[in-house]
Amino acid sequence: MATTSLLQSVECKMNKLCRQVSIESPGPSVKDCVFSFEVPVPDVPPNGARIRVVCAGACYRLRRSPSISSISSVSSLNSEPSIEGGLPGMSGGMPSTQSPAHHGLRDGALFPGYEVAGIVESLGAEVGPSCGYQVGDRVVLYPYEGVPHGYAEFIIVHELKYLVKLPDTIPLSVAAMLPTGALLAMSTVFASHEYVQKILAQKGENGICKILIVGTGGLALWMMRIASHHFSATSDRVSITVASLKDEGFLLAKEHKRVNVVQWNEDLYEKQLIERTMDACQGEVDIVIDFGTTSRSLHRSLQCLGKGGVVFISHEVAERLMPKFSRRAEERQQKIKSVGMGSIEQLQELVDLVGKGEIEPPPHTVFPAEEASEVVKKLCASEIQGRAILQFFSVD
């Protein structure tokens, strides 16, 4: 049994070191944003669990605390750069807030978050038999406040409520895509629901609510699938168009039969891109979900949005962009809404839907964790189709 061999291999590793990979927020240069080092294997908390990380979605950490230490591990950097002095590309131990200039972040191929799927390796001494979990269970971790700063081979959770058990129908590589990218997409769909219903009511029984999804990285691909499922009961009255930011994404989006696609070729003038989008959507849209958010894409989104429409953007970029565009949106009688991470209940629902095959996950590629640095470079250059998953351990 794979689980038995896993636990046997773990026994000889306790009280030793394990690998950790930390992906920092890339700047205009992606050099030196991935750090690998060894950390002590953490002790099992009395009321929690220790998880053997198998797969992790390639996400970066947008902000850095003064120390790289976390609840799950304390780094022994040895020859690594001093944290107090700052890692490369950082000032005073804090990351630069400069907006990344490369396409990988702009199209949503790489985004901030924390995505871990693995196996329960140990349960705390005070965890009772009715906890609902046992050693060997396959789980995904909800990215709660205080998650580790990096991806280590072993992590701990102090409370089991942050774990969601996985059905056998979901591979761990797929599960590793759910806690940030897919969950943010689901949270956005839920946030847009009341607006869709309001728009449909205003337009009457023959009216159509037009939704424009911007970007074709992991976030937008999840958004396309989850939105299509969520609004399936009114699919004849909800029109979904994807504004693709790259050729590869254009082909992926086109696989979804009920979704229109328009390509935002950056070589064209803004007026041409807006006209192209209007043609694809047959006029102005009612809702824009912009996961490729830069000043340019948000400006373009507002131009494609009708009076009374709303643009949804991630909370990660809202602080930077909303002050620039709020007044302009008000003048056009439009709204810009920030969407945060979804709840653990939504993650559970997402696991159920993917496990039952009701929502098909986007394409993904699995890479050894040792190749994290090269993977991030490729993501930032838009060279990887779909999501990139880092594998720390094989259970086959």
Side-chain angles (χ1 to χ4, degrees):
M1 292 290 292
T3 300
T4 302
S5 61
L6 164 64
L7 299 180
Q8 289 174 343
S9 66
V10 165
E11 290 178 0
C12 64
K13 291 189 175 184
M14 294 304 94
N15 301 318
K16 295 188 178 181
L17 299 177
C18 63
R19 291 176 300 161
Q20 178 167 313
V21 174
S22 294
I23 304 174
E24 301 301 323
S25 176
S29 171
V30 300
K31 185 179 180 181
D32 296 329
C33 65
V34 179
F35 302 91
S36 298
F37 42 86
E38 293 183 328
V39 297
V41 173
D43 294 329
V44 185
N47 294 298
R50 183 166 54 206
I51 309 300
R52 177 47 142 131
V53 175
V54 177
C55 291
C59 297
Y60 67 89
R61 189 157 58 95
L62 187 63
R63 296 181 178 87
R64 165 181 288 281
S65 65
S67 171
I68 206 163
S69 301
S70 71
I71 61 171
S72 70
S73 60
V74 179
S75 172
S76 56
L77 293 178
N78 298 324
S79 61
E80 298 294 327
S82 167
I83 298 303
E84 288 73 22
L87 290 171
M90 297 168 57
S91 175
M94 297 296 290
S96 169
T97 56
Q98 184 174 5
S99 175
H102 43 72
H103 294 276
L105 296 180
R106 184 188 58 125
D107 63 27
L110 183 64
F111 46 83
Y114 194 81
E115 298 182 321
V116 160
I119 297 172
V120 176
E121 179 270 326
S122 297
L123 291 169
E126 298 180 15
V127 173
S130 61
C131 68
Y133 293 91
Q134 60 184 8
V135 172
D137 280 347
R138 300 161 69 253
V139 294
V140 65
L141 175 64
Y142 176 74
Y144 62 93
E145 185 71 25
V147 292
H149 293 329
Y151 295 135
E153 291 179 278
F154 293 95
I155 62 172
I156 58 172
V157 290
H158 289 277
E159 298 181 71
L160 299 181
K161 66 180 182 180
Y162 297 120
L163 298 176
V164 175
K165 194 179 297 187
L166 296 168
D168 294 336
T169 52
I170 300 183
L172 289 172
S173 60
V174 171
M177 294 190 284
L178 303 181
T180 294
L183 184 57
L184 177 58
M186 174 168 274
S187 176
T188 307
V189 169
F190 283 21
S192 70
H193 180 86
E194 65 172 292
Y195 291 93
V196 172
Q197 298 306 311
K198 181 179 179 181
I199 291 166
L200 291 178
Q202 291 174 342
K203 293 190 174 184
E205 60 182 42
N206 295 320
I208 295 177
C209 177
K210 300 175 184 178
I211 300 176
L212 176 66
I213 300 173
V214 178
T216 38
L219 291 175
L221 291 175
W222 273 116
M223 184 72 221
M224 180 177 66
R225 287 158 168 77
I226 295 172
S228 295
H229 175 271
H230 184 79
F231 297 115
S232 59
T234 54
S235 59
D236 58 333
R237 300 192 61 202
V238 176
S239 170
I240 298 176
T241 301
V242 175
S244 170
L245 297 169
K246 56 183 179 179
D247 293 339
E248 172 262 332
F250 181 83
L251 296 174
L252 289 176
K254 202 148 178 119
E255 293 176 3
H256 214 284
K257 305 300 181 184
R258 291 183 295 173
V259 173
N260 302 318
V261 182
V262 57
Q263 191 159 19
W264 278 7
N265 187 328
E266 296 298 339
D267 293 332
L268 298 179
Y269 292 109
E270 285 296 304
K271 183 178 179 181
Q272 292 174 297
L273 292 173
I274 293 168
E275 290 176 350
R276 172 183 288 187
T277 306
M278 296 284 200
D279 289 341
C281 299
Q282 298 181 352
E284 295 177 330
V285 300
D286 302 294
I287 295 173
V288 177
I289 297 168
D290 193 342
F291 285 138
T293 315
T294 62
S295 293
R296 186 177 183 184
S297 74
L298 183 54
H299 178 265
R300 191 182 305 155
S301 294
L302 291 170
Q303 297 297 310
C304 298
L305 189 65
K307 179 181 177 180
V310 57
V311 177
F312 290 95
I313 61 176
S314 166
H315 71 287
E316 298 290 355
V317 298
E319 183 178 350
R320 173 171 56 88
L321 293 178
M322 288 185 74
K324 299 180 182 179
F325 290 93
S326 293
R327 183 175 178 181
R328 185 177 306 175
E330 289 176 5
E331 292 173 350
R332 296 172 58 89
Q333 298 182 41
Q334 299 166 336
K335 296 179 181 178
I336 303 175
K337 293 288 186 180
S338 170
V339 180
M341 183 59 61
S343 66
I344 193 167
E345 291 79 16
Q346 289 174 347
L347 179 58
Q348 179 66 70
E349 182 177 351
L350 189 58
V351 166
D352 292 341
L353 291 171
V354 174
K356 294 175 182 176
E358 295 184 32
I359 294 179
E360 180 183 355
H364 68 284
T365 307
V366 178
F367 299 89
E370 294 84 356
E371 299 178 12
S373 181
E374 187 63 28
V375 167
V376 171
K377 290 179 183 178
K378 289 182 178 179
L379 283 171
C380 291
S382 299
E383 295 176 359
I384 296 176
Q385 187 181 74
R387 289 299 313 281
I389 306 299
L390 303 177
Q391 186 176 58
F392 285 80
F393 185 82
S394 175
V395 294
D396 296 331

